Coordinates of all heavy atoms in Angstrom, one line a residue:
R1 N 0.8 -1.2 0.0 CA 0.0 0.0 0.0 C 0.9 1.2 0.0 O 1.9 1.3 0.7 CB -0.9 0.0 1.2 CG -1.7 -1.3 1.3 CD -3.1 -1.2 1.7 NE -3.6 0.0 2.1 CZ -4.8 0.5 1.8 NH1 -5.6 -0.2 1.1 NH2 -5.2 1.6 2.3
W2 N 0.4 2.2 -0.7 CA 1.2 3.4 -1.0 C 0.4 4.7 -0.7 O -0.8 4.7 -1.0 CB 1.8 3.5 -2.4 CG 2.6 2.3 -2.7 CD1 2.3 1.1 -3.2 CD2 4.1 2.2 -2.6 NE1 3.3 0.3 -3.3 CE2 4.5 1.0 -3.0 CE3 5.0 3.1 -2.2 CZ2 5.8 0.6 -3.0 CZ3 6.4 2.7 -2.2 CH2 6.7 1.5 -2.6
L3 N 1.1 5.8 -0.3 CA 0.5 7.1 -0.3 C 1.1 7.9 -1.4 O 2.4 8.0 -1.4 CB 0.7 7.7 1.1 CG 0.2 9.1 1.2 CD1 -1.4 9.1 1.4 CD2 0.8 9.9 2.4
R4 N 0.3 8.5 -2.2 CA 0.9 9.3 -3.3 C 0.5 10.8 -3.1 O -0.7 11.0 -2.8 CB 0.5 8.9 -4.7 CG 1.1 9.7 -5.8 CD 0.8 9.3 -7.2 NE 1.3 7.9 -7.5 CZ 2.5 7.7 -8.0 NH1 3.3 8.6 -8.3 NH2 2.8 6.4 -8.3
V5 N 1.4 11.7 -3.2 CA 1.2 13.1 -3.2 C 1.6 13.7 -4.5 O 2.8 13.5 -4.9 CB 2.0 13.8 -2.0 CG1 1.8 15.3 -2.1 CG2 1.6 13.2 -0.7
R6 N 0.7 14.3 -5.2 CA 1.0 14.9 -6.5 C 0.5 16.4 -6.5 O -0.6 16.7 -6.2 CB 0.3 14.1 -7.6 CG 0.6 14.5 -9.0 CD 0.1 13.6 -10.0 NE -1.2 13.1 -9.8 CZ -1.6 11.9 -10.2 NH1 -0.9 11.1 -10.8 NH2 -2.9 11.5 -10.0
V7 N 1.5 17.2 -6.9 CA 1.2 18.7 -7.0 C 1.5 19.0 -8.5 O 2.6 18.8 -8.9 CB 2.0 19.5 -6.0 CG1 1.7 21.0 -6.2 CG2 1.8 19.1 -4.6
S8 N 0.6 19.6 -9.2 CA 0.8 19.9 -10.6 C 0.4 21.4 -10.8 O -0.4 22.0 -10.1 CB 0.1 19.0 -11.5 OG -1.3 18.9 -11.2
D9 N 1.0 22.0 -11.8 CA 0.7 23.3 -12.2 C -0.7 23.3 -12.9 O -0.9 22.6 -13.8 CB 1.8 23.8 -13.2 CG 1.6 25.3 -13.6 OD1 0.6 25.6 -14.3 OD2 2.4 26.1 -13.1
M10 N -1.6 24.2 -12.4 CA -2.9 24.2 -13.0 C -3.0 24.7 -14.4 O -3.9 24.3 -15.2 CB -3.9 25.1 -12.1 CG -4.2 24.4 -10.8 SD -5.2 25.5 -9.7 CE -6.2 26.4 -10.7
H11 N -2.0 25.5 -14.8 CA -2.0 26.1 -16.2 C -1.4 25.2 -17.2 O -1.9 25.1 -18.3 CB -1.4 27.5 -16.1 CG -2.0 28.4 -15.1 ND1 -3.2 28.9 -15.2 CD2 -1.5 28.8 -13.9 CE1 -3.5 29.6 -14.1 NE2 -2.4 29.6 -13.3
T12 N -0.3 24.5 -16.8 CA 0.4 23.7 -17.8 C 0.1 22.2 -17.6 O 0.3 21.4 -18.6 CB 1.9 23.9 -17.7 OG1 2.4 23.4 -16.4 CG2 2.3 25.4 -17.9
G13 N -0.3 21.8 -16.4 CA -0.6 20.4 -16.1 C 0.7 19.7 -15.8 O 0.7 18.5 -15.5
K14 N 1.9 20.4 -15.8 CA 3.1 19.7 -15.5 C 3.2 19.5 -14.0 O 2.9 20.3 -13.2 CB 4.3 20.6 -15.9 CG 4.5 20.7 -17.4 CD 5.8 21.4 -17.8 CE 6.0 21.4 -19.3 NZ 7.2 22.1 -19.6
P15 N 3.8 18.3 -13.7 CA 3.9 18.0 -12.2 C 5.0 18.8 -11.6 O 6.1 19.0 -12.2 CB 4.3 16.5 -12.2 CG 4.8 16.2 -13.6 CD 4.2 17.2 -14.5
R16 N 4.8 19.3 -10.4 CA 5.8 19.9 -9.6 C 6.3 19.0 -8.5 O 7.5 19.0 -8.2 CB 5.2 21.2 -8.9 CG 4.9 22.3 -9.9 CD 4.4 23.5 -9.2 NE 4.0 24.5 -10.1 CZ 3.4 25.7 -9.8 NH1 3.1 25.9 -8.6 NH2 3.1 26.5 -10.8
V17 N 5.4 18.1 -8.0 CA 5.8 17.1 -7.0 C 5.0 15.9 -7.3 O 3.8 15.9 -7.7 CB 5.4 17.6 -5.6 CG1 5.7 16.5 -4.6 CG2 6.1 18.9 -5.2
N18 N 5.7 14.7 -7.3 CA 5.1 13.5 -7.5 C 5.8 12.5 -6.6 O 6.8 11.9 -7.0 CB 5.1 13.1 -9.0 CG 4.2 11.9 -9.2 OD1 3.4 11.4 -8.4 ND2 4.3 11.3 -10.4
V19 N 5.3 12.2 -5.4 CA 5.9 11.4 -4.4 C 5.1 10.2 -4.1 O 3.9 10.3 -3.8 CB 6.3 12.2 -3.1 CG1 6.9 11.3 -2.1 CG2 7.1 13.4 -3.4
R20 N 5.7 9.0 -4.1 CA 5.0 7.8 -3.7 C 5.7 7.2 -2.5 O 6.9 6.8 -2.6 CB 5.0 6.8 -4.9 CG 4.2 5.6 -4.7 CD 4.2 4.8 -6.0 NE 3.5 3.6 -5.8 CZ 3.9 2.4 -6.3 NH1 5.0 2.3 -7.0 NH2 3.2 1.3 -6.1
L21 N 5.0 7.0 -1.4 CA 5.6 6.6 -0.1 C 4.9 5.3 0.4 O 3.7 5.3 0.3 CB 5.6 7.6 1.0 CG 6.2 9.0 0.7 CD1 5.8 10.0 1.7 CD2 7.7 8.8 0.7
P22 N 5.7 4.3 0.8 CA 5.0 3.2 1.5 C 4.3 3.6 2.8 O 4.8 4.5 3.5 CB 6.1 2.2 1.8 CG 7.4 3.0 1.7 CD 7.1 4.2 0.8
L23 N 3.1 3.1 3.0 CA 2.4 3.5 4.2 C 3.1 3.2 5.5 O 2.9 4.0 6.5 CB 1.0 2.8 4.2 CG 0.0 3.4 3.3 CD1 -1.4 2.6 3.5 CD2 -0.2 4.9 3.6
T24 N 3.9 2.2 5.5 CA 4.7 2.0 6.8 C 5.7 3.1 7.0 O 5.8 3.5 8.2 CB 5.5 0.7 6.7 OG1 6.3 0.7 5.5 CG2 4.6 -0.5 6.6
L25 N 6.2 3.7 6.0 CA 7.1 4.9 6.2 C 6.3 6.1 6.6 O 6.7 6.9 7.4 CB 7.9 5.2 4.9 CG 8.9 6.3 4.9 CD1 10.0 6.0 6.0 CD2 9.5 6.5 3.6
V26 N 5.1 6.2 6.1 CA 4.2 7.4 6.4 C 3.9 7.3 7.9 O 4.0 8.3 8.6 CB 2.9 7.4 5.6 CG1 2.0 8.4 6.1 CG2 3.3 7.6 4.1
G27 N 3.5 6.1 8.4 CA 3.2 6.0 9.8 C 4.4 6.3 10.7 O 4.3 7.1 11.7
F28 N 5.6 5.9 10.3 CA 6.8 6.2 11.1 C 7.0 7.7 11.0 O 7.3 8.3 12.1 CB 8.0 5.4 10.5 CG 9.3 5.8 11.1 CD1 9.6 5.3 12.4 CD2 10.2 6.6 10.5 CE1 10.8 5.6 13.0 CE2 11.4 6.9 11.0 CZ 11.7 6.4 12.3
G29 N 6.9 8.3 9.9 CA 7.1 9.8 9.7 C 6.1 10.6 10.6 O 6.5 11.6 11.1
L30 N 4.9 10.2 10.6 CA 3.9 10.9 11.5 C 4.3 10.8 12.9 O 4.2 11.8 13.6 CB 2.5 10.3 11.3 CG 1.8 10.6 10.0 CD1 0.6 9.8 9.8 CD2 1.5 12.1 9.9
K31 N 4.8 9.7 13.4 CA 5.2 9.6 14.8 C 6.4 10.4 15.1 O 6.5 11.1 16.1 CB 5.4 8.1 15.1 CG 4.1 7.3 15.2 CD 4.4 5.8 15.4 CE 3.1 5.1 15.4 NZ 3.3 3.6 15.4
M32 N 7.3 10.4 14.2 CA 8.5 11.2 14.3 C 8.2 12.7 14.2 O 8.7 13.5 15.0 CB 9.6 10.9 13.3 CG 10.2 9.5 13.5 SD 11.1 9.4 15.1 CE 12.4 10.5 14.9
G33 N 7.4 13.1 13.3 CA 7.0 14.5 13.1 C 6.3 15.1 14.3 O 6.5 16.3 14.6
R34 N 5.6 14.3 15.0 CA 4.9 14.8 16.2 C 5.9 15.3 17.2 O 5.6 16.3 17.9 CB 4.1 13.6 16.8 CG 3.4 14.0 18.1 CD 2.5 12.9 18.6 NE 3.1 11.6 18.6 CZ 2.4 10.5 18.8 NH1 1.1 10.5 19.0 NH2 3.0 9.3 18.7
Q35 N 7.1 14.8 17.3 CA 8.1 15.2 18.2 C 8.7 16.5 17.8 O 9.2 17.3 18.7 CB 9.2 14.2 18.4 CG 8.7 12.9 18.9 CD 9.7 11.8 18.9 OE1 10.9 12.1 18.7 NE2 9.4 10.6 19.2
F36 N 8.7 16.8 16.5 CA 9.5 18.0 16.0 C 8.6 19.1 15.4 O 9.1 20.2 15.1 CB 10.5 17.6 15.0 CG 11.5 16.6 15.5 CD1 11.4 15.2 15.2 CD2 12.5 17.0 16.4 CE1 12.3 14.3 15.7 CE2 13.4 16.1 16.9 CZ 13.3 14.7 16.6
A37 N 7.3 18.8 15.2 CA 6.4 19.8 14.6 C 5.3 20.2 15.6 O 4.4 19.4 15.8 CB 5.8 19.3 13.3
P38 N 5.4 21.4 16.1 CA 4.4 21.8 17.1 C 3.0 21.9 16.5 O 2.0 21.8 17.2 CB 4.8 23.2 17.5 CG 6.0 23.6 16.7 CD 6.4 22.4 15.9
E39 N 2.9 22.0 15.1 CA 1.6 22.1 14.4 C 0.8 20.8 14.6 O -0.4 20.7 14.4 CB 1.8 22.3 12.9 CG 2.5 23.6 12.6 CD 4.0 23.4 12.6 OE1 4.5 22.3 12.5 OE2 4.7 24.4 12.7
M40 N 1.5 19.7 14.9 CA 0.9 18.4 15.0 C 0.4 18.1 16.4 O -0.3 17.1 16.6 CB 1.9 17.3 14.6 CG 2.2 17.3 13.1 SD 3.3 16.0 12.6 CE 2.3 14.6 12.8
E41 N 0.6 19.0 17.3 CA 0.1 18.8 18.7 C -1.4 18.7 18.7 O -2.1 19.5 18.1 CB 0.6 20.0 19.6 CG 0.3 19.8 21.0 CD 0.9 20.9 21.9 OE1 1.9 21.4 21.5 OE2 0.3 21.2 22.9
G42 N -1.9 17.7 19.4 CA -3.3 17.5 19.5 C -3.9 16.6 18.4 O -5.0 16.2 18.5
M43 N -3.1 16.2 17.4 CA -3.5 15.3 16.4 C -3.5 13.9 17.0 O -2.6 13.5 17.7 CB -2.7 15.4 15.2 CG -2.9 16.6 14.3 SD -1.8 16.6 12.9 CE -2.5 15.3 11.9
D44 N -4.5 13.1 16.6 CA -4.5 11.7 17.0 C -3.8 10.9 15.9 O -4.4 10.4 14.9 CB -5.9 11.2 17.2 CG -6.0 9.8 17.8 OD1 -5.0 9.1 17.8 OD2 -7.1 9.5 18.2
I45 N -2.5 10.8 16.1 CA -1.6 10.1 15.1 C -2.0 8.6 14.9 O -2.0 8.1 13.8 CB -0.1 10.2 15.5 CG1 0.3 11.7 15.6 CG2 0.7 9.4 14.5 CD1 0.1 12.5 14.3
E46 N -2.4 8.0 16.0 CA -2.7 6.6 15.9 C -4.0 6.4 15.1 O -4.1 5.5 14.3 CB -2.9 5.9 17.3 CG -1.6 5.7 18.0 CD -1.0 6.9 18.6 OE1 -1.7 7.9 18.8 OE2 0.3 6.9 18.7
E47 N -5.0 7.3 15.3 CA -6.2 7.2 14.5 C -5.9 7.5 13.0 O -6.5 6.8 12.1 CB -7.2 8.2 15.0 CG -8.5 8.3 14.3 CD -9.4 7.0 14.3 OE1 -9.1 6.1 15.1 OE2 -10.3 6.9 13.5
L48 N -5.1 8.5 12.7 CA -4.8 8.8 11.4 C -4.1 7.7 10.7 O -4.4 7.3 9.6 CB -3.9 10.1 11.3 CG -3.5 10.6 9.9 CD1 -4.7 10.8 9.0 CD2 -2.6 11.8 10.1
T49 N -3.2 7.0 11.4 CA -2.4 5.9 10.9 C -3.4 4.7 10.6 O -3.3 4.1 9.6 CB -1.3 5.4 11.8 OG1 -0.4 6.5 12.0 CG2 -0.6 4.2 11.3
R50 N -4.4 4.5 11.5 CA -5.4 3.5 11.3 C -6.2 3.7 10.1 O -6.5 2.8 9.3 CB -6.3 3.3 12.6 CG -7.2 2.1 12.5 CD -8.3 2.2 13.6 NE -9.2 3.3 13.5 CZ -10.1 3.4 12.5 NH1 -10.3 2.5 11.6 NH2 -10.9 4.5 12.5
V51 N -6.6 4.9 9.9 CA -7.4 5.3 8.8 C -6.7 5.1 7.5 O -7.2 4.5 6.5 CB -7.9 6.8 8.8 CG1 -8.5 7.2 7.5 CG2 -8.9 6.9 10.0
L52 N -5.4 5.4 7.5 CA -4.6 5.2 6.3 C -4.4 3.7 6.0 O -4.5 3.3 4.8 CB -3.2 5.9 6.4 CG -3.2 7.4 6.4 CD1 -1.8 7.9 6.7 CD2 -3.6 7.9 5.0
Q53 N -4.2 2.9 7.0 CA -4.0 1.5 6.9 C -5.2 0.7 6.4 O -5.1 -0.2 5.7 CB -3.4 0.9 8.1 CG -2.1 1.3 8.5 CD -1.0 0.8 7.6 OE1 -1.1 -0.2 6.9 NE2 0.1 1.6 7.5
T54 N -6.4 1.2 6.9 CA -7.6 0.5 6.6 C -8.4 1.1 5.5 O -9.4 0.5 5.0 CB -8.5 0.4 7.8 OG1 -8.9 1.7 8.3 CG2 -7.8 -0.4 8.9
G55 N -8.0 2.3 5.0 CA -8.8 3.0 4.0 C -8.8 2.3 2.6 O -7.9 1.5 2.3
E56 N -9.8 2.6 1.8 CA -9.9 2.1 0.5 C -8.9 2.9 -0.4 O -8.8 4.1 -0.2 CB -11.3 2.2 0.0 CG -12.3 1.3 0.7 CD -12.0 -0.2 0.4 OE1 -11.7 -0.5 -0.7 OE2 -12.1 -0.9 1.4
P57 N -8.4 2.3 -1.5 CA -7.6 3.0 -2.4 C -8.4 4.1 -3.1 O -9.6 4.0 -3.3 CB -7.2 2.0 -3.5 CG -7.3 0.7 -2.7 CD -8.4 0.9 -1.7
G58 N -7.8 5.2 -3.3 CA -8.5 6.3 -4.0 C -8.1 7.7 -3.3 O -7.3 7.7 -2.4
P59 N -8.6 8.8 -3.9 CA -8.3 10.1 -3.4 C -8.9 10.4 -2.0 O -10.0 10.0 -1.8 CB -8.8 11.0 -4.5 CG -9.9 10.3 -5.1 CD -9.5 8.8 -5.0
F60 N -8.2 11.2 -1.2 CA -8.8 11.7 0.0 C -8.5 13.2 0.2 O -9.1 13.8 1.0 CB -8.6 10.9 1.3 CG -7.2 10.7 1.7 CD1 -6.6 11.6 2.6 CD2 -6.4 9.7 1.2 CE1 -5.3 11.5 3.0 CE2 -5.1 9.6 1.6 CZ -4.5 10.5 2.5
V61 N -7.6 13.7 -0.6 CA -7.4 15.2 -0.7 C -7.3 15.5 -2.2 O -6.6 14.9 -2.9 CB -6.1 15.6 0.0 CG1 -5.9 17.1 -0.2 CG2 -6.2 15.3 1.5
D62 N -8.1 16.5 -2.6 CA -8.1 17.0 -4.0 C -8.4 18.5 -3.9 O -9.6 18.9 -3.8 CB -9.1 16.3 -4.8 CG -9.0 16.5 -6.3 OD1 -8.0 17.2 -6.7 OD2 -9.8 16.0 -7.1
V63 N -7.3 19.3 -4.0 CA -7.5 20.8 -3.7 C -6.9 21.5 -4.9 O -5.8 21.2 -5.4 CB -6.8 21.2 -2.4 CG1 -6.8 22.7 -2.2 CG2 -7.3 20.4 -1.2
Y64 N -7.7 22.6 -5.3 CA -7.2 23.5 -6.3 C -6.8 24.8 -5.6 O -7.7 25.4 -5.0 CB -8.2 23.8 -7.4 CG -8.5 22.6 -8.3 CD1 -9.4 21.6 -7.9 CD2 -7.7 22.4 -9.4 CE1 -9.6 20.5 -8.8 CE2 -7.9 21.3 -10.2 CZ -8.9 20.4 -9.9 OH -9.1 19.3 -10.7
D65 N -5.5 25.2 -5.6 CA -5.1 26.4 -5.0 C -4.9 27.5 -6.1 O -3.9 27.5 -6.8 CB -3.7 26.1 -4.3 CG -3.2 27.3 -3.5 OD1 -3.7 28.4 -3.8 OD2 -2.3 27.1 -2.7
E66 N -5.9 28.3 -6.2 CA -6.0 29.3 -7.2 C -4.8 30.4 -7.0 O -4.3 30.9 -8.0 CB -7.3 30.0 -7.2 CG -8.5 29.2 -7.5 CD -8.5 28.7 -9.0 OE1 -7.9 29.4 -9.9 OE2 -9.1 27.6 -9.2
D67 N -4.5 30.7 -5.7 CA -3.5 31.7 -5.4 C -2.1 31.2 -6.0 O -1.4 32.1 -6.5 CB -3.4 31.9 -3.9 CG -4.6 32.6 -3.4 OD1 -5.4 33.3 -4.2 OD2 -4.9 32.5 -2.2
D68 N -1.8 30.0 -5.8 CA -0.5 29.5 -6.2 C -0.5 28.8 -7.6 O 0.5 28.3 -8.1 CB 0.1 28.5 -5.2 CG 0.5 29.2 -3.9 OD1 0.8 30.4 -4.0 OD2 0.5 28.6 -2.8
G69 N -1.7 28.6 -8.1 CA -1.9 27.9 -9.4 C -1.5 26.4 -9.3 O -0.9 25.9 -10.3
E70 N -1.9 25.8 -8.2 CA -1.5 24.4 -8.0 C -2.7 23.5 -7.8 O -3.7 23.9 -7.2 CB -0.5 24.2 -6.9 CG 0.8 24.9 -7.0 CD 1.7 24.8 -5.8 OE1 1.2 24.7 -4.7 OE2 2.9 24.8 -6.0
H71 N -2.6 22.3 -8.3 CA -3.6 21.3 -8.0 C -2.9 20.2 -7.1 O -1.9 19.6 -7.5 CB -4.1 20.6 -9.3 CG -5.1 19.5 -9.1 ND1 -5.2 18.5 -10.0 CD2 -6.0 19.3 -8.1 CE1 -6.2 17.7 -9.6 NE2 -6.6 18.2 -8.4
V72 N -3.4 20.0 -5.9 CA -2.8 19.1 -5.0 C -3.7 17.9 -4.8 O -4.9 18.0 -4.5 CB -2.6 19.8 -3.6 CG1 -2.0 18.8 -2.6 CG2 -1.8 21.1 -3.7
E73 N -3.1 16.7 -5.0 CA -3.9 15.5 -4.8 C -3.1 14.6 -3.8 O -1.9 14.4 -3.9 CB -4.0 14.7 -6.1 CG -4.7 15.5 -7.2 CD -4.5 14.8 -8.5 OE1 -3.5 15.0 -9.2 OE2 -5.4 14.0 -8.9
V74 N -3.8 13.9 -2.9 CA -3.2 12.9 -2.0 C -4.2 11.8 -2.1 O -5.4 11.9 -1.9 CB -3.1 13.5 -0.6 CG1 -2.5 12.4 0.3 CG2 -2.3 14.8 -0.5
F75 N -3.6 10.6 -2.4 CA -4.5 9.4 -2.5 C -3.7 8.1 -2.1 O -2.5 8.1 -2.1 CB -5.1 9.3 -3.9 CG -4.1 9.4 -5.0 CD1 -3.6 8.2 -5.6 CD2 -3.7 10.6 -5.5 CE1 -2.7 8.3 -6.7 CE2 -2.9 10.7 -6.6 CZ -2.4 9.5 -7.2
L76 N -4.5 7.1 -1.8 CA -4.0 5.8 -1.5 C -3.9 4.9 -2.7 O -4.9 4.9 -3.5 CB -4.8 5.1 -0.4 CG -4.8 5.7 0.9 CD1 -5.8 5.0 1.8 CD2 -3.5 5.7 1.6
E77 N -2.9 4.2 -2.9 CA -2.8 3.2 -4.0 C -2.7 1.8 -3.4 O -2.2 1.6 -2.4 CB -1.5 3.5 -4.8 CG -1.5 4.8 -5.5 CD -0.3 5.0 -6.4 OE1 0.8 4.5 -6.0 OE2 -0.4 5.7 -7.4

């Protein structure tokens, strides 16, 4: 199982970021990030990890950022 993050230019369609990470690495990164990122305080990392592990493949974030001209997609494969 994989987590893919893709950011593309809305005008040209060219990818700016295209990252594919194994879910085991994502879970580890979330746990480590909690120690170093104050923004993550109060997040239920275990619940987020569980949702990622048990979720169906497909998109769960699909955002168009008009200000930056970016299309951001996050999905499970």
Side-chain angles (χ1 to χ4, degrees):
R1 306 223 350 146
W2 300 88
L3 177 79
R4 182 175 300 265
V5 177
R6 185 168 42 209
V7 179
S8 53
D9 185 289
M10 286 175 34
H11 305 291
T12 65
K14 288 186 177 182
R16 292 183 180 171
V17 174
N18 191 9
V19 178
R20 185 176 178 222
L21 301 167
L23 282 182
T24 53
L25 183 61
V26 172
F28 176 75
L30 287 170
K31 289 176 185 173
M32 290 298 295
R34 178 174 44 192
Q35 297 175 10
F36 302 103
E39 302 85 19
M40 294 182 70
E41 188 174 328
M43 287 181 66
D44 187 346
I45 300 301
E46 286 74 26
E47 176 67 14
L48 181 56
T49 302
R50 186 191 65 73
V51 168
L52 288 172
Q53 293 292 336
T54 61
E56 294 293 319
F60 61 92
V61 173
D62 190 3
V63 177
Y64 290 90
D65 183 344
E66 298 291 334
D67 293 336
D68 292 333
E70 295 177 332
H71 179 206
V72 179
E73 301 168 278
V74 181
F75 52 96
L76 294 175
E77 295 181 329

